[in-house]
Amino acid sequence: MKRCQSLVDAGRRQFLTGAGVMTAGAAAATVLPAEARAADPAAALVKYPVNRLANLKDLTANEPFDVAYPDDDAPGVLLKLGTRVAGGAGPDGDIVGFSTVCPHKGYPLAYSTGDKTLNCPGHYSRFDCEKGGQQVWEQATQNLPQYTLRIDDKGDIYAEGVDELLYGRLSNVL
Ligand code: FES
């Protein structure tokens, strides 16, 4: 019984030590400099050189328009979805752009007009173009890289960055 009480005391000490470490960690987190705290949330966007990809007149609703961004080795697509979506560009907020290289193992993706997804013939991953390229099925472990788009007053569509690491690149910096 005495040995049992010793173990209980040892457990209490460990718990209290752990609580002390957690409290110290929380205190350290609250005194981080403002720059360090501000750096984390939106850091996913990778800025590339700005490229003109198309004009509004080139797009037809729910038909993929092939492009390459940020360079010729990075195939992608522009889509006028016909429905306003979060992050959509253009007067109707329905234009989006994505890499069409599967983030799992690099197979080329094909667009499905029926459910507005990009689909992989390799291992059947599917990405929802109305939800920012969110993966909705199978093997990939990241969402589809989506372009940041800007449209000028002439209707020219420019890509200015990508929000995920492109497949096969060790870095998104050119
Ligand atoms: Fe696309 Fe594997 S390469 S799911």
Side-chain angles (χ1 to χ4, degrees), residues 19-43:
V21 168
M22 283 176 27
T23 305
T30 57
V31 295
L32 281 175
E35 326 69 80
R37 277 180 275 138
D40 52 345

Short mmCIF file of all heavy atoms in Angstrom, two decimals, residues 19-43:
data_model
loop_
_atom_site.label_atom_id
_atom_site.label_comp_id
_atom_site.label_asym_id
_atom_site.label_seq_id
_atom_site.Cartn_x
_atom_site.Cartn_y
_atom_site.Cartn_z
N ALA A 19 2.10 20.48 -16.25
CA ALA A 19 1.25 21.68 -16.26
C ALA A 19 2.11 22.93 -16.26
O ALA A 19 1.80 23.92 -16.94
CB ALA A 19 0.31 21.66 -15.06
N GLY A 20 3.23 22.86 -15.52
CA GLY A 20 4.13 24.01 -15.49
C GLY A 20 4.72 24.28 -16.86
O GLY A 20 4.80 25.43 -17.31
N VAL A 21 5.12 23.21 -17.56
CA VAL A 21 5.70 23.38 -18.89
C VAL A 21 4.66 23.97 -19.84
O VAL A 21 4.94 24.88 -20.62
CB VAL A 21 6.21 22.02 -19.43
CG1 VAL A 21 6.54 22.11 -20.90
CG2 VAL A 21 7.43 21.58 -18.62
N MET A 22 3.42 23.45 -19.75
CA MET A 22 2.37 23.96 -20.64
C MET A 22 2.09 25.43 -20.36
O MET A 22 1.91 26.24 -21.27
CB MET A 22 1.09 23.14 -20.48
CG MET A 22 1.21 21.82 -21.20
SD MET A 22 -0.17 20.68 -21.00
CE MET A 22 -1.54 21.66 -20.72
N THR A 23 2.08 25.82 -19.08
CA THR A 23 1.83 27.22 -18.74
C THR A 23 2.94 28.10 -19.28
O THR A 23 2.69 29.16 -19.86
CB THR A 23 1.74 27.37 -17.20
OG1 THR A 23 0.74 26.49 -16.74
CG2 THR A 23 1.40 28.79 -16.81
N ALA A 24 4.20 27.63 -19.15
CA ALA A 24 5.33 28.40 -19.66
C ALA A 24 5.22 28.54 -21.17
O ALA A 24 5.48 29.61 -21.74
CB ALA A 24 6.65 27.72 -19.28
N GLY A 25 4.81 27.46 -21.85
CA GLY A 25 4.66 27.50 -23.32
C GLY A 25 3.59 28.49 -23.72
O GLY A 25 3.77 29.28 -24.65
N ALA A 26 2.48 28.48 -23.00
CA ALA A 26 1.39 29.42 -23.33
C ALA A 26 1.84 30.85 -23.10
O ALA A 26 1.55 31.74 -23.91
CB ALA A 26 0.16 29.10 -22.48
N ALA A 27 2.59 31.07 -22.03
CA ALA A 27 3.08 32.42 -21.77
C ALA A 27 4.03 32.87 -22.87
O ALA A 27 3.96 34.01 -23.34
CB ALA A 27 3.79 32.45 -20.41
N ALA A 28 4.90 31.96 -23.32
CA ALA A 28 5.84 32.31 -24.40
C ALA A 28 5.07 32.64 -25.67
O ALA A 28 5.42 33.58 -26.38
CB ALA A 28 6.80 31.15 -24.64
N ALA A 29 4.00 31.89 -25.93
CA ALA A 29 3.25 32.14 -27.16
C ALA A 29 2.60 33.51 -27.15
O ALA A 29 2.46 34.15 -28.18
CB ALA A 29 2.18 31.05 -27.33
N THR A 30 2.22 33.97 -25.96
CA THR A 30 1.53 35.25 -25.90
C THR A 30 2.49 36.42 -26.02
O THR A 30 2.06 37.53 -26.24
CB THR A 30 0.72 35.39 -24.60
OG1 THR A 30 1.60 35.21 -23.52
CG2 THR A 30 -0.42 34.40 -24.55
N VAL A 31 3.81 36.18 -25.86
CA VAL A 31 4.74 37.29 -25.98
C VAL A 31 5.51 37.27 -27.29
O VAL A 31 6.50 37.96 -27.44
CB VAL A 31 5.73 37.34 -24.79
CG1 VAL A 31 4.99 37.62 -23.50
CG2 VAL A 31 6.55 36.07 -24.72
N LEU A 32 5.06 36.47 -28.28
CA LEU A 32 5.72 36.48 -29.58
C LEU A 32 5.62 37.86 -30.19
O LEU A 32 4.61 38.55 -30.03
CB LEU A 32 5.04 35.48 -30.52
CG LEU A 32 5.40 34.01 -30.33
CD1 LEU A 32 4.55 33.17 -31.27
CD2 LEU A 32 6.87 33.76 -30.60
N PRO A 33 6.66 38.28 -30.89
CA PRO A 33 6.57 39.59 -31.55
C PRO A 33 5.44 39.62 -32.56
O PRO A 33 5.08 38.59 -33.12
CB PRO A 33 7.93 39.74 -32.24
CG PRO A 33 8.68 38.48 -32.02
CD PRO A 33 7.90 37.60 -31.10
N ALA A 34 4.89 40.80 -32.80
CA ALA A 34 3.74 40.95 -33.69
C ALA A 34 4.02 40.39 -35.07
O ALA A 34 3.16 39.78 -35.68
CB ALA A 34 3.35 42.42 -33.77
N GLU A 35 5.28 40.59 -35.59
CA GLU A 35 5.58 40.10 -36.96
C GLU A 35 5.45 38.58 -37.02
O GLU A 35 4.93 38.04 -37.99
CB GLU A 35 6.98 40.42 -37.43
CG GLU A 35 7.70 41.65 -37.05
CD GLU A 35 8.11 41.79 -35.63
OE1 GLU A 35 9.13 41.24 -35.20
OE2 GLU A 35 7.41 42.52 -34.92
N ALA A 36 5.92 37.89 -35.96
CA ALA A 36 5.88 36.43 -35.97
C ALA A 36 4.45 35.93 -35.93
O ALA A 36 4.09 34.99 -36.61
CB ALA A 36 6.66 35.89 -34.78
N ARG A 37 3.59 36.60 -35.14
CA ARG A 37 2.19 36.18 -35.07
C ARG A 37 1.48 36.44 -36.37
O ARG A 37 0.66 35.66 -36.80
CB ARG A 37 1.48 36.87 -33.91
CG ARG A 37 1.73 36.17 -32.59
CD ARG A 37 1.03 36.88 -31.46
NE ARG A 37 1.91 37.96 -30.98
CZ ARG A 37 1.49 39.16 -30.67
NH1 ARG A 37 0.24 39.47 -30.76
NH2 ARG A 37 2.34 40.07 -30.25
N ALA A 38 1.79 37.56 -37.01
CA ALA A 38 1.10 37.92 -38.24
C ALA A 38 1.54 37.06 -39.41
O ALA A 38 0.86 36.98 -40.41
CB ALA A 38 1.36 39.39 -38.56
N ALA A 39 2.68 36.37 -39.29
CA ALA A 39 3.25 35.67 -40.44
C ALA A 39 2.51 34.39 -40.79
O ALA A 39 2.51 33.99 -41.94
CB ALA A 39 4.71 35.36 -40.18
N ASP A 40 1.86 33.70 -39.83
CA ASP A 40 1.41 32.35 -40.14
C ASP A 40 0.15 32.20 -40.97
O ASP A 40 0.18 31.42 -41.90
CB ASP A 40 1.35 31.49 -38.87
CG ASP A 40 0.58 32.10 -37.75
OD1 ASP A 40 0.31 33.31 -37.84
OD2 ASP A 40 0.24 31.42 -36.82
N PRO A 41 -0.98 32.89 -40.80
CA PRO A 41 -2.20 32.43 -41.42
C PRO A 41 -2.22 32.44 -42.94
O PRO A 41 -2.47 31.42 -43.54
CB PRO A 41 -3.28 33.36 -40.88
CG PRO A 41 -2.66 34.16 -39.82
CD PRO A 41 -1.20 34.06 -40.00
N ALA A 42 -1.90 33.52 -43.60
CA ALA A 42 -2.08 33.61 -45.04
C ALA A 42 -0.82 33.24 -45.81
O ALA A 42 -0.71 33.52 -46.99
CB ALA A 42 -2.53 35.02 -45.42
N ALA A 43 0.12 32.55 -45.16
CA ALA A 43 1.41 32.32 -45.79
C ALA A 43 1.36 31.33 -46.94
O ALA A 43 2.33 31.15 -47.63
CB ALA A 43 2.41 31.85 -44.74
#
